[in-house]
Every structure is written in structure tokens, then in C-alpha cells.
Amino acid sequence: MPDTPLIEVRGVTFGYGREVVLDHVDLNVEPRDFLAVIGPNGGGKTTLLKVILGLVRPWSGEVIFHLPSGGDPRDPRGRLGYVPQFSTFDKDFPLRLGDMVLMGRLGRRNLLRPYSRADRAAADQALERLHLEPLARAHVAEVSGGQLQRALIARALVSSPDVLFLDEPTASIDAESRETLRELLADLNRTIPIVVVTHDVTSFAPMVSRIACINRRLFYHGDPDLSREVMEEVYGCPVELVTHGVPHRVLDHHHDEPPPEHRR
């Protein structure tokens, strides 16, 4: 059915040790979404991605998939693209950019089989799509942060996923690379739904169709026009909403600092 969500998160609870990080979270990813997931540090945003991707199993609740490629409705392996936080990638690892992109095909093949001609053609196509073909033989330590970020996206796209997930994609890259990334994601979103975990939602303001506010539980899930009351409930502190229709800055009035109107 056309109105069926691609992904349904139903009553998911999860934590580490005895600490609850996600508390009965319900969330849908729709076929044409550009969904921004926001919330404070430690609020469970990245953990929610890991649950959806099947990297961790929830204590309770479930995630159901209605993906165009079919497959098991409870097992998304090989059908979701994931771009991890840029800062977690080890640039000293001895790997060429083209080989890193090719590794994105591992989710759709037997790990013991050598890469096929189709695998290599798909990697070449992904490199070309992201304008990285001249750097295919470059070591990951030799490229810029923006180029490496694009290569990580190419690795996620090389298996033709049904949904693309990105965790803090604008962190640790310069302003020019952020603009290139925005243009790239806007183009990709024409053919694939995108879910972005971010602290800087204004970077994607023109593209965001819906926002999910997470701080252990789901506070809001809908249009990107948020009220100050919702944001203060999510972050647990006073907030400043900047135009563009989405929140930009969160200001905590700490006891050892003067209020914002007295700062220079």
C-alpha cells in the first residue's frame, strides 16, 4: 500500500547495563522522507539508529520493515545504507578509497566469495556518482575530510539500499564540504528516503520533511515547525529558536555563566 511506512519502530526500549537509553519509542520512516533526528547528547539518537539497523537488539518492542526490495520484514541486512560518524573513522587504516567503497557490497554477498565483476562495476559507478573516481587509488589518509565523507556515503550507496542513514554527517568537515554534502543529499533524496541524526539541523533545513525529537523517549515526530515549548521539554533547558523553520541553537543558562543578553 502506498501509505505504508518503510520502517516501523514499535514500542522500542533499550539500554546499556541497567540504564534505559530508549523508552518505548515509536517512529515511522516514510517512502519520501528526509527525517532529521535531533536531541541532546546521550539522548539515544545514535542508539535508535543502531536498533533500526539491527546492530543491537531491543529489550522490548520491535522494528518492522516494508522495504521495496522485499525480504524478511524483521531482518534488514543488505537493504539499509549506513554512514557512521565521520570522527569514528580511522584514517590511518591502510586502505585505498576505491577498496573502502567496494566493501559496501559485503552485505549482499557471501563473505568468502571474491568480489564479482558486478561488485566492482557498482563501486566504480558509486565513485563516479560522487565525483571520486580520480581518487579511487588514493589512501584514505591522503584525502580531505569532505572527500572521505563522500566516500563513506558512496560505500553506503554501492549496495543500492532502500533507505540511507547518516549519523552526524556535518561534524568534522569544513563549510565548503558541508555545502557539497547538502547538495549531494538533496539530489539523493529524489530517489531514496534519508534519515539524518544531527545537532545542526539548520544545515538541512530546506530538505527536512519531518523531525523526530529524542531524549530517551520520543517527544515529537512530525513537521519541522517546532515550538519553543517542545524544544525546552526535549532539551530540559531554555532554548533559542532561529528562523528557517527549525531549531538551531540550544542555550543552557548555567549558574556560573551570565545570561545570554549579558554576553559579548
Side-chain angles (χ1 to χ4, degrees):
M1 295 178 59
D3 294 330
T4 301
L6 295 184
I7 301 173
E8 295 181 85
V9 178
R10 301 175 177 173
V12 162
T13 296
F14 178 78
Y16 301 98
R18 295 185 178 182
E19 180 183 1
V20 176
V21 177
L22 298 173
D23 187 7
H24 293 90
V25 171
D26 295 304
L27 183 76
N28 290 342
V29 178
E30 305 292 343
R32 286 172 289 277
D33 254 348
F34 194 112
L35 174 64
V37 181
I38 68 172
N41 287 333
K45 304 184 300 297
T46 295
T47 298
L48 176 62
L49 253 62
K50 290 180 178 179
V51 170
I52 295 174
L53 293 165
L55 301 177
V56 296
R57 180 175 296 180
W59 292 350
S60 62
E62 60 182 353
V63 183
I64 304 297
F65 300 91
H66 311 281
L67 300 176
S69 58
D72 188 333
R74 287 176 171 78
D75 183 359
R77 282 181 295 182
R79 296 178 290 150
L80 303 178
Y82 175 49
V83 181
Q85 291 188 26
F86 173 83
S87 60
T88 65
F89 188 86
D90 182 6
K91 290 192 69 172
D92 292 327
F93 192 79
L95 188 65
R96 296 186 187 277
L97 218 63
D99 293 331
M100 185 187 78
V101 172
L102 188 57
M103 290 171 66
R105 297 288 289 186
L106 291 175
R108 291 198 175 228
R109 52 185 288 283
N110 189 312
L111 295 179
L112 299 179
R113 279 176 37 214
Y115 289 112
S116 66
R117 182 176 298 177
D119 292 331
R120 297 187 183 279
D124 290 343
Q125 184 178 19
L127 287 164
E128 182 179 0
R129 183 176 187 181
L130 277 82
H131 309 293
L132 292 169
E133 63 272 29
L135 298 173
R137 297 192 59 78
H139 190 280
V140 293
E142 299 171 342
V143 302
S144 70
Q147 290 167 336
L148 180 55
Q149 181 69 286
R150 281 188 284 145
L152 290 171
I153 294 172
R155 184 180 67 174
L157 292 175
V158 75
S159 60
S160 301
D162 293 318
V163 185
L164 179 63
F165 294 83
L166 302 99
D167 193 358
E168 298 289 358
T170 59
S172 304
I173 60 175
D174 59 32
E176 182 178 354
S177 297
R178 289 192 189 99
E179 179 60 31
T180 300
L181 176 64
R182 282 192 290 268
E183 294 172 357
L184 169 62
L185 293 182
D187 180 59
L188 292 174
N189 192 222
R190 294 188 179 98
T191 57
I192 184 173
I194 292 175
V195 179
V196 175
V197 164
T198 182
H199 283 93
D200 183 19
V201 73
T202 54
S203 294
F204 308 106
M207 297 172 284
V208 171
S209 58
R210 294 189 305 140
I211 281 181
C213 301
I214 301 285
N215 188 1
R216 197 177 76 164
R217 62 186 178 88
L218 182 71
F219 283 83
Y220 179 85
H221 185 207
D223 293 338
D225 297 317
L226 294 174
S227 68
R228 183 186 302 273
E229 291 74 22
V230 169
M231 292 302 296
E232 290 185 353
E233 187 179 11
V234 174
Y235 284 89
C237 66
V239 302
E240 177 184 347
L241 299 185
V242 178
T243 55
H244 306 302
V246 289
H248 179 205
R249 194 173 301 136
V250 179
L251 299 177
D252 191 348
H253 292 187
H254 298 289
H255 295 299
D256 58 347
E257 294 181 3
E261 60 269 21
H262 294 155
R263 298 177 196 162
R264 293 186 180 273

